């Protein structure tokens, strides 16, 4: 019940296209849902985050859509660029700074 | 402002040994969390310290321990190393602990157990 399921495992998108990554959860006690971006050799970096009482949040080219009733949330990357090629993780907060992470999506943007 | 600093960057140990990893959080941050990252299990929470007290603990055996000092720097220790402990160990810090806090990760310590 403390899992966060992430899909797809990998994704190839053309430059300028939209990248979409999906996550689903079961535990309704999760109260904060961040997305992280990780480049090889680096730690994850916070991209954008959302609270469950908000259905959508947009920051630049990155948008989170949140469906509380379906217990699903997704990351949309608009106008995807080669520099966006990285591994993306969704996460959910249990308490304090204890996060449960999805398995990750390797995104490759082809130029 | 300097980011989260983890030392050493790489470590090679043998089974049965113990290891200590160090983390210096961003200046002013009082919460430090530790995560283990492996290709098979992904990112898993180890523990969180806030103001020198362990606030949260993940599902890891007692061989994994940590502590936080009065200057917020943190160390984690793994005793009696096993091959399966080979992983990237990530430290993350935040100003406070809790809802809506932004977590900043270091680049990690890559531990290889032979």
């Amino acid at each position: 019940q403390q899992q966060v399921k992430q899909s797809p495992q990998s994704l190839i998108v053309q430059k300028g296209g939209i990248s979409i990554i999906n996550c689903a959860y079961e535990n309704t006690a999760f109260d904060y849902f961040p997305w992280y971006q990780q480049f090889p050799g680096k730690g994850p970096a916070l991209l954008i985050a959302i609270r469950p009482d908000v259905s959508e949040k947009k920051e630049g080219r990155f948008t989170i859509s949140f469906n509380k009733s379906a217990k699903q949330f997704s990351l949309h990357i608009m106008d995807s660029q080669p520099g966006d090629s990285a591994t993306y993780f969704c996460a959910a907060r249990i308490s304090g700074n204890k996060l449960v992470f999805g398995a990750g999506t390797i995104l490759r943007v082809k130029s | 402002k300097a980011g989260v600093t983890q030392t050493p960057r790489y470590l090679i140990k043998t089974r049965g040994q113990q290891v200590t990893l160090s983390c210096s959080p961003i200046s002013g941050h009082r919460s430090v969390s530790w995560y283990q990252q492996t290709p098979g299990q992904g990112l898993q929470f180890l523990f969180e310290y806030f103001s020198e007290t362990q606030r949260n603990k993940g599902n890891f055996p007692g061989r994994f321990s940590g502590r936080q000092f009065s200057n917020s720097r943190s160390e984690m220790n793994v005793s009696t190393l096993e091959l399966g402990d080979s992983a990237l160990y990530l430290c993350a810090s935040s100003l406070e602990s809790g809802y809506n806090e932004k977590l900043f990760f270091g680049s990690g310590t890559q531990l290889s157990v032979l």
Side-chain angles (χ1 to χ4, degrees), chain B residues 67-99:
Chain B
R67 60 178 176 168
Q68 186 180 33
F69 302 96
S70 58
N71 61 358
S72 293
R73 193 178 69 85
S74 178
E75 288 181 347
M76 69 162 279
N77 183 277
V78 188
S79 62
T80 320
L81 283 166
E82 300 177 1
L83 294 178
D85 296 334
S86 295
L88 180 66
Y89 289 89
L90 293 160
C91 170
S93 75
S94 64
L95 273 169
E96 300 290 333
S97 173
Y99 187 76

PDB file of all heavy atoms in Angstrom, chain B residues 67-99:
ATOM      1  N   ARG B  67      23.310   9.329  12.568  1.00  0.00           N
ATOM      2  CA  ARG B  67      23.247  10.328  13.623  1.00  0.00           C
ATOM      3  C   ARG B  67      23.400  11.699  13.010  1.00  0.00           C
ATOM      4  O   ARG B  67      23.879  11.850  11.881  1.00  0.00           O
ATOM      5  CB  ARG B  67      24.323  10.090  14.679  1.00  0.00           C
ATOM      6  CG  ARG B  67      25.754  10.122  14.173  1.00  0.00           C
ATOM      7  CD  ARG B  67      26.720   9.920  15.335  1.00  0.00           C
ATOM      8  NE  ARG B  67      28.109   9.845  14.880  1.00  0.00           N
ATOM      9  CZ  ARG B  67      29.147   9.901  15.713  1.00  0.00           C
ATOM     10  NH1 ARG B  67      28.960  10.030  17.009  1.00  0.00           N
ATOM     11  NH2 ARG B  67      30.381   9.811  15.247  1.00  0.00           N
ATOM     12  N   GLN B  68      22.990  12.688  13.786  1.00  0.00           N
ATOM     13  CA  GLN B  68      23.124  14.071  13.338  1.00  0.00           C
ATOM     14  C   GLN B  68      23.782  14.870  14.454  1.00  0.00           C
ATOM     15  O   GLN B  68      23.465  14.693  15.636  1.00  0.00           O
ATOM     16  CB  GLN B  68      21.761  14.671  12.993  1.00  0.00           C
ATOM     17  CG  GLN B  68      21.850  16.065  12.382  1.00  0.00           C
ATOM     18  CD  GLN B  68      20.495  16.649  12.055  1.00  0.00           C
ATOM     19  OE1 GLN B  68      19.513  16.387  12.749  1.00  0.00           O
ATOM     20  NE2 GLN B  68      20.417  17.456  11.006  1.00  0.00           N
ATOM     21  N   PHE B  69      24.662  15.740  14.068  1.00  0.00           N
ATOM     22  CA  PHE B  69      25.392  16.541  15.034  1.00  0.00           C
ATOM     23  C   PHE B  69      24.720  17.902  15.219  1.00  0.00           C
ATOM     24  O   PHE B  69      23.819  18.273  14.462  1.00  0.00           O
ATOM     25  CB  PHE B  69      26.845  16.704  14.562  1.00  0.00           C
ATOM     26  CG  PHE B  69      27.554  15.387  14.374  1.00  0.00           C
ATOM     27  CD1 PHE B  69      27.629  14.796  13.115  1.00  0.00           C
ATOM     28  CD2 PHE B  69      28.121  14.718  15.448  1.00  0.00           C
ATOM     29  CE1 PHE B  69      28.259  13.573  12.930  1.00  0.00           C
ATOM     30  CE2 PHE B  69      28.756  13.500  15.278  1.00  0.00           C
ATOM     31  CZ  PHE B  69      28.828  12.921  14.019  1.00  0.00           C
ATOM     32  N   SER B  70      25.207  18.638  16.208  1.00  0.00           N
ATOM     33  CA  SER B  70      24.575  19.920  16.531  1.00  0.00           C
ATOM     34  C   SER B  70      24.685  20.933  15.389  1.00  0.00           C
ATOM     35  O   SER B  70      23.890  21.862  15.298  1.00  0.00           O
ATOM     36  CB  SER B  70      25.175  20.506  17.812  1.00  0.00           C
ATOM     37  OG  SER B  70      26.567  20.669  17.668  1.00  0.00           O
ATOM     38  N   ASN B  71      25.654  20.750  14.499  1.00  0.00           N
ATOM     39  CA  ASN B  71      25.781  21.667  13.350  1.00  0.00           C
ATOM     40  C   ASN B  71      25.000  21.158  12.135  1.00  0.00           C
ATOM     41  O   ASN B  71      25.189  21.646  11.027  1.00  0.00           O
ATOM     42  CB  ASN B  71      27.255  21.852  12.980  1.00  0.00           C
ATOM     43  CG  ASN B  71      27.924  20.550  12.568  1.00  0.00           C
ATOM     44  OD1 ASN B  71      27.305  19.493  12.590  1.00  0.00           O
ATOM     45  ND2 ASN B  71      29.194  20.629  12.198  1.00  0.00           N
ATOM     46  N   SER B  72      24.139  20.164  12.357  1.00  0.00           N
ATOM     47  CA  SER B  72      23.263  19.541  11.353  1.00  0.00           C
ATOM     48  C   SER B  72      23.969  18.556  10.431  1.00  0.00           C
ATOM     49  O   SER B  72      23.292  17.847   9.683  1.00  0.00           O
ATOM     50  CB  SER B  72      22.513  20.589  10.510  1.00  0.00           C
ATOM     51  OG  SER B  72      21.595  21.275  11.306  1.00  0.00           O
ATOM     52  N   ARG B  73      25.273  18.489  10.481  1.00  0.00           N
ATOM     53  CA  ARG B  73      25.980  17.481   9.687  1.00  0.00           C
ATOM     54  C   ARG B  73      25.531  16.093  10.139  1.00  0.00           C
ATOM     55  O   ARG B  73      25.166  15.893  11.304  1.00  0.00           O
ATOM     56  CB  ARG B  73      27.482  17.642   9.855  1.00  0.00           C
ATOM     57  CG  ARG B  73      28.329  16.864   8.854  1.00  0.00           C
ATOM     58  CD  ARG B  73      29.820  17.134   9.067  1.00  0.00           C
ATOM     59  NE  ARG B  73      30.309  16.557  10.322  1.00  0.00           N
ATOM     60  CZ  ARG B  73      30.710  15.305  10.464  1.00  0.00           C
ATOM     61  NH1 ARG B  73      30.654  14.466   9.439  1.00  0.00           N
ATOM     62  NH2 ARG B  73      31.151  14.885  11.632  1.00  0.00           N
ATOM     63  N   SER B  74      25.539  15.167   9.196  1.00  0.00           N
ATOM     64  CA  SER B  74      25.038  13.832   9.526  1.00  0.00           C
ATOM     65  C   SER B  74      25.999  12.761   9.035  1.00  0.00           C
ATOM     66  O   SER B  74      26.750  12.964   8.065  1.00  0.00           O
ATOM     67  CB  SER B  74      23.655  13.624   8.895  1.00  0.00           C
ATOM     68  OG  SER B  74      23.161  12.323   9.148  1.00  0.00           O
ATOM     69  N   GLU B  75      25.971  11.655   9.695  1.00  0.00           N
ATOM     70  CA  GLU B  75      26.724  10.478   9.268  1.00  0.00           C
ATOM     71  C   GLU B  75      25.799   9.277   9.272  1.00  0.00           C
ATOM     72  O   GLU B  75      24.870   9.204  10.086  1.00  0.00           O
ATOM     73  CB  GLU B  75      27.892  10.193  10.228  1.00  0.00           C
ATOM     74  CG  GLU B  75      29.038  11.165  10.146  1.00  0.00           C
ATOM     75  CD  GLU B  75      30.163  10.811  11.108  1.00  0.00           C
ATOM     76  OE1 GLU B  75      29.942   9.956  11.999  1.00  0.00           O
ATOM     77  OE2 GLU B  75      31.257  11.397  10.968  1.00  0.00           O
ATOM     78  N   MET B  76      26.047   8.364   8.337  1.00  0.00           N
ATOM     79  CA  MET B  76      25.370   7.089   8.426  1.00  0.00           C
ATOM     80  C   MET B  76      26.418   5.976   8.444  1.00  0.00           C
ATOM     81  O   MET B  76      27.495   6.114   7.854  1.00  0.00           O
ATOM     82  CB  MET B  76      24.346   6.872   7.304  1.00  0.00           C
ATOM     83  CG  MET B  76      24.892   6.680   5.922  1.00  0.00           C
ATOM     84  SD  MET B  76      23.645   5.928   4.828  1.00  0.00           S
ATOM     85  CE  MET B  76      23.804   4.211   5.262  1.00  0.00           C
ATOM     86  N   ASN B  77      26.103   4.945   9.153  1.00  0.00           N
ATOM     87  CA  ASN B  77      27.028   3.842   9.346  1.00  0.00           C
ATOM     88  C   ASN B  77      26.353   2.545   8.923  1.00  0.00           C
ATOM     89  O   ASN B  77      25.166   2.328   9.203  1.00  0.00           O
ATOM     90  CB  ASN B  77      27.443   3.777  10.814  1.00  0.00           C
ATOM     91  CG  ASN B  77      28.457   2.697  11.070  1.00  0.00           C
ATOM     92  OD1 ASN B  77      28.122   1.540  11.248  1.00  0.00           O
ATOM     93  ND2 ASN B  77      29.730   3.066  11.067  1.00  0.00           N
ATOM     94  N   VAL B  78      27.098   1.724   8.233  1.00  0.00           N
ATOM     95  CA  VAL B  78      26.608   0.386   7.903  1.00  0.00           C
ATOM     96  C   VAL B  78      27.626  -0.610   8.452  1.00  0.00           C
ATOM     97  O   VAL B  78      28.809  -0.550   8.097  1.00  0.00           O
ATOM     98  CB  VAL B  78      26.435   0.169   6.391  1.00  0.00           C
ATOM     99  CG1 VAL B  78      25.728  -1.166   6.136  1.00  0.00           C
ATOM    100  CG2 VAL B  78      25.654   1.304   5.755  1.00  0.00           C
ATOM    101  N   SER B  79      27.178  -1.466   9.321  1.00  0.00           N
ATOM    102  CA  SER B  79      28.085  -2.460   9.900  1.00  0.00           C
ATOM    103  C   SER B  79      27.905  -3.801   9.193  1.00  0.00           C
ATOM    104  O   SER B  79      26.892  -4.047   8.537  1.00  0.00           O
ATOM    105  CB  SER B  79      27.806  -2.616  11.396  1.00  0.00           C
ATOM    106  OG  SER B  79      26.495  -3.092  11.589  1.00  0.00           O
ATOM    107  N   THR B  80      28.889  -4.651   9.337  1.00  0.00           N
ATOM    108  CA  THR B  80      28.857  -5.996   8.760  1.00  0.00           C
ATOM    109  C   THR B  80      28.318  -5.969   7.323  1.00  0.00           C
ATOM    110  O   THR B  80      27.255  -6.522   7.007  1.00  0.00           O
ATOM    111  CB  THR B  80      27.991  -6.949   9.618  1.00  0.00           C
ATOM    112  OG1 THR B  80      28.214  -6.701  11.004  1.00  0.00           O
ATOM    113  CG2 THR B  80      28.378  -8.394   9.315  1.00  0.00           C
ATOM    114  N   LEU B  81      29.040  -5.323   6.469  1.00  0.00           N
ATOM    115  CA  LEU B  81      28.600  -5.108   5.089  1.00  0.00           C
ATOM    116  C   LEU B  81      28.293  -6.416   4.365  1.00  0.00           C
ATOM    117  O   LEU B  81      28.997  -7.421   4.520  1.00  0.00           O
ATOM    118  CB  LEU B  81      29.671  -4.338   4.320  1.00  0.00           C
ATOM    119  CG  LEU B  81      29.727  -2.839   4.600  1.00  0.00           C
ATOM    120  CD1 LEU B  81      31.026  -2.245   4.073  1.00  0.00           C
ATOM    121  CD2 LEU B  81      28.527  -2.124   4.001  1.00  0.00           C
ATOM    122  N   GLU B  82      27.238  -6.361   3.554  1.00  0.00           N
ATOM    123  CA  GLU B  82      26.849  -7.471   2.688  1.00  0.00           C
ATOM    124  C   GLU B  82      26.941  -7.011   1.238  1.00  0.00           C
ATOM    125  O   GLU B  82      26.902  -5.802   0.956  1.00  0.00           O
ATOM    126  CB  GLU B  82      25.428  -7.915   3.019  1.00  0.00           C
ATOM    127  CG  GLU B  82      25.257  -8.388   4.454  1.00  0.00           C
ATOM    128  CD  GLU B  82      23.813  -8.761   4.769  1.00  0.00           C
ATOM    129  OE1 GLU B  82      22.952  -8.667   3.866  1.00  0.00           O
ATOM    130  OE2 GLU B  82      23.560  -9.153   5.933  1.00  0.00           O
ATOM    131  N   LEU B  83      27.047  -8.006   0.323  1.00  0.00           N
ATOM    132  CA  LEU B  83      27.151  -7.651  -1.089  1.00  0.00           C
ATOM    133  C   LEU B  83      25.975  -6.785  -1.531  1.00  0.00           C
ATOM    134  O   LEU B  83      26.125  -5.854  -2.326  1.00  0.00           O
ATOM    135  CB  LEU B  83      27.213  -8.920  -1.946  1.00  0.00           C
ATOM    136  CG  LEU B  83      28.446  -9.805  -1.776  1.00  0.00           C
ATOM    137  CD1 LEU B  83      28.342 -11.043  -2.659  1.00  0.00           C
ATOM    138  CD2 LEU B  83      29.728  -9.036  -2.092  1.00  0.00           C
ATOM    139  N   GLY B  84      24.806  -7.070  -0.991  1.00  0.00           N
ATOM    140  CA  GLY B  84      23.592  -6.347  -1.358  1.00  0.00           C
ATOM    141  C   GLY B  84      23.553  -4.906  -0.882  1.00  0.00           C
ATOM    142  O   GLY B  84      22.638  -4.168  -1.249  1.00  0.00           O
ATOM    143  N   ASP B  85      24.529  -4.510  -0.088  1.00  0.00           N
ATOM    144  CA  ASP B  85      24.583  -3.119   0.377  1.00  0.00           C
ATOM    145  C   ASP B  85      25.227  -2.218  -0.669  1.00  0.00           C
ATOM    146  O   ASP B  85      25.266  -0.993  -0.501  1.00  0.00           O
ATOM    147  CB  ASP B  85      25.376  -3.018   1.688  1.00  0.00           C
ATOM    148  CG  ASP B  85      24.711  -3.774   2.823  1.00  0.00           C
ATOM    149  OD1 ASP B  85      23.476  -3.956   2.776  1.00  0.00           O
ATOM    150  OD2 ASP B  85      25.428  -4.196   3.755  1.00  0.00           O
ATOM    151  N   SER B  86      25.741  -2.798  -1.738  1.00  0.00           N
ATOM    152  CA  SER B  86      26.321  -1.997  -2.823  1.00  0.00           C
ATOM    153  C   SER B  86      25.230  -1.113  -3.409  1.00  0.00           C
ATOM    154  O   SER B  86      24.189  -1.612  -3.866  1.00  0.00           O
ATOM    155  CB  SER B  86      26.909  -2.895  -3.916  1.00  0.00           C
ATOM    156  OG  SER B  86      27.998  -3.639  -3.426  1.00  0.00           O
ATOM    157  N   ALA B  87      25.453   0.177  -3.380  1.00  0.00           N
ATOM    158  CA  ALA B  87      24.400   1.120  -3.797  1.00  0.00           C
ATOM    159  C   ALA B  87      24.959   2.525  -3.809  1.00  0.00           C
ATOM    160  O   ALA B  87      26.077   2.778  -3.353  1.00  0.00           O
ATOM    161  CB  ALA B  87      23.217   1.063  -2.823  1.00  0.00           C
ATOM    162  N   LEU B  88      24.150   3.429  -4.342  1.00  0.00           N
ATOM    163  CA  LEU B  88      24.419   4.857  -4.228  1.00  0.00           C
ATOM    164  C   LEU B  88      23.646   5.349  -3.007  1.00  0.00           C
ATOM    165  O   LEU B  88      22.433   5.178  -2.928  1.00  0.00           O
ATOM    166  CB  LEU B  88      23.957   5.596  -5.489  1.00  0.00           C
ATOM    167  CG  LEU B  88      24.174   7.109  -5.503  1.00  0.00           C
ATOM    168  CD1 LEU B  88      25.665   7.447  -5.517  1.00  0.00           C
ATOM    169  CD2 LEU B  88      23.474   7.741  -6.707  1.00  0.00           C
ATOM    170  N   TYR B  89      24.340   5.927  -2.057  1.00  0.00           N
ATOM    171  CA  TYR B  89      23.696   6.432  -0.845  1.00  0.00           C
ATOM    172  C   TYR B  89      23.590   7.955  -0.972  1.00  0.00           C
ATOM    173  O   TYR B  89      24.591   8.658  -1.103  1.00  0.00           O
ATOM    174  CB  TYR B  89      24.475   6.017   0.399  1.00  0.00           C
ATOM    175  CG  TYR B  89      24.318   4.535   0.644  1.00  0.00           C
ATOM    176  CD1 TYR B  89      25.198   3.627   0.074  1.00  0.00           C
ATOM    177  CD2 TYR B  89      23.250   4.045   1.390  1.00  0.00           C
ATOM    178  CE1 TYR B  89      25.035   2.263   0.245  1.00  0.00           C
ATOM    179  CE2 TYR B  89      23.077   2.681   1.580  1.00  0.00           C
ATOM    180  CZ  TYR B  89      23.972   1.795   0.994  1.00  0.00           C
ATOM    181  OH  TYR B  89      23.790   0.446   1.165  1.00  0.00           O
ATOM    182  N   LEU B  90      22.368   8.420  -0.935  1.00  0.00           N
ATOM    183  CA  LEU B  90      22.066   9.830  -1.148  1.00  0.00           C
ATOM    184  C   LEU B  90      21.629  10.490   0.140  1.00  0.00           C
ATOM    185  O   LEU B  90      20.840   9.931   0.910  1.00  0.00           O
ATOM    186  CB  LEU B  90      20.950   9.975  -2.183  1.00  0.00           C
ATOM    187  CG  LEU B  90      21.303   9.561  -3.608  1.00  0.00           C
ATOM    188  CD1 LEU B  90      20.036   9.278  -4.412  1.00  0.00           C
ATOM    189  CD2 LEU B  90      22.114  10.654  -4.295  1.00  0.00           C
ATOM    190  N   CYS B  91      22.143  11.668   0.350  1.00  0.00           N
ATOM    191  CA  CYS B  91      21.747  12.481   1.483  1.00  0.00           C
ATOM    192  C   CYS B  91      20.942  13.659   0.940  1.00  0.00           C
ATOM    193  O   CYS B  91      21.259  14.186  -0.137  1.00  0.00           O
ATOM    194  CB  CYS B  91      22.998  12.966   2.210  1.00  0.00           C
ATOM    195  SG  CYS B  91      22.717  14.217   3.459  1.00  0.00           S
ATOM    196  N   ALA B  92      19.915  14.041   1.662  1.00  0.00           N
ATOM    197  CA  ALA B  92      19.094  15.173   1.240  1.00  0.00           C
ATOM    198  C   ALA B  92      18.843  16.065   2.448  1.00  0.00           C
ATOM    199  O   ALA B  92      18.675  15.572   3.568  1.00  0.00           O
ATOM    200  CB  ALA B  92      17.776  14.691   0.658  1.00  0.00           C
ATOM    201  N   SER B  93      18.805  17.358   2.220  1.00  0.00           N
ATOM    202  CA  SER B  93      18.534  18.257   3.331  1.00  0.00           C
ATOM    203  C   SER B  93      17.383  19.204   2.999  1.00  0.00           C
ATOM    204  O   SER B  93      17.062  19.449   1.826  1.00  0.00           O
ATOM    205  CB  SER B  93      19.784  19.058   3.713  1.00  0.00           C
ATOM    206  OG  SER B  93      20.063  20.098   2.793  1.00  0.00           O
ATOM    207  N   SER B  94      16.746  19.711   4.051  1.00  0.00           N
ATOM    208  CA  SER B  94      15.702  20.715   3.893  1.00  0.00           C
ATOM    209  C   SER B  94      15.737  21.631   5.094  1.00  0.00           C
ATOM    210  O   SER B  94      16.290  21.280   6.143  1.00  0.00           O
ATOM    211  CB  SER B  94      14.322  20.071   3.735  1.00  0.00           C
ATOM    212  OG  SER B  94      13.964  19.372   4.899  1.00  0.00           O
ATOM    213  N   LEU B  95      15.113  22.790   4.950  1.00  0.00           N
ATOM    214  CA  LEU B  95      15.112  23.776   6.036  1.00  0.00           C
ATOM    215  C   LEU B  95      14.485  23.189   7.301  1.00  0.00           C
ATOM    216  O   LEU B  95      15.064  23.205   8.368  1.00  0.00           O
ATOM    217  CB  LEU B  95      14.320  25.009   5.608  1.00  0.00           C
ATOM    218  CG  LEU B  95      15.090  26.089   4.853  1.00  0.00           C
ATOM    219  CD1 LEU B  95      14.140  27.116   4.272  1.00  0.00           C
ATOM    220  CD2 LEU B  95      16.128  26.750   5.734  1.00  0.00           C
ATOM    221  N   GLU B  96      13.263  22.709   7.110  1.00  0.00           N
ATOM    222  CA  GLU B  96      12.540  22.106   8.211  1.00  0.00           C
ATOM    223  C   GLU B  96      12.178  20.679   7.791  1.00  0.00           C
ATOM    224  O   GLU B  96      12.642  20.188   6.759  1.00  0.00           O
ATOM    225  CB  GLU B  96      11.276  22.914   8.521  1.00  0.00           C
ATOM    226  CG  GLU B  96      11.550  24.353   8.902  1.00  0.00           C
ATOM    227  CD  GLU B  96      12.220  24.488  10.262  1.00  0.00           C
ATOM    228  OE1 GLU B  96      12.028  23.612  11.117  1.00  0.00           O
ATOM    229  OE2 GLU B  96      12.963  25.479  10.448  1.00  0.00           O
ATOM    230  N   SER B  97      11.338  20.048   8.585  1.00  0.00           N
ATOM    231  CA  SER B  97      10.913  18.688   8.258  1.00  0.00           C
ATOM    232  C   SER B  97       9.412  18.673   8.108  1.00  0.00           C
ATOM    233  O   SER B  97       8.696  19.017   9.036  1.00  0.00           O
ATOM    234  CB  SER B  97      11.306  17.722   9.377  1.00  0.00           C
ATOM    235  OG  SER B  97      10.763  16.443   9.139  1.00  0.00           O
ATOM    236  N   GLY B  98       8.938  18.305   6.917  1.00  0.00           N
ATOM    237  CA  GLY B  98       7.502  18.165   6.809  1.00  0.00           C
ATOM    238  C   GLY B  98       6.913  18.661   5.524  1.00  0.00           C
ATOM    239  O   GLY B  98       7.586  18.847   4.523  1.00  0.00           O
ATOM    240  N   TYR B  99       5.637  18.888   5.592  1.00  0.00           N
ATOM    241  CA  TYR B  99       4.797  19.195   4.456  1.00  0.00           C
ATOM    242  C   TYR B  99       5.353  20.347   3.635  1.00  0.00           C
ATOM    243  O   TYR B  99       5.703  21.403   4.150  1.00  0.00           O
ATOM    244  CB  TYR B  99       3.410  19.558   4.985  1.00  0.00           C
ATOM    245  CG  TYR B  99       2.380  19.740   3.918  1.00  0.00           C
ATOM    246  CD1 TYR B  99       1.828  18.641   3.285  1.00  0.00           C
ATOM    247  CD2 TYR B  99       1.964  21.005   3.544  1.00  0.00           C
ATOM    248  CE1 TYR B  99       0.875  18.793   2.305  1.00  0.00           C
ATOM    249  CE2 TYR B  99       1.010  21.160   2.566  1.00  0.00           C
ATOM    250  CZ  TYR B  99       0.466  20.047   1.955  1.00  0.00           C
ATOM    251  OH  TYR B  99      -0.468  20.202   0.985  1.00  0.00           O
TER     252      TYR B  99
END
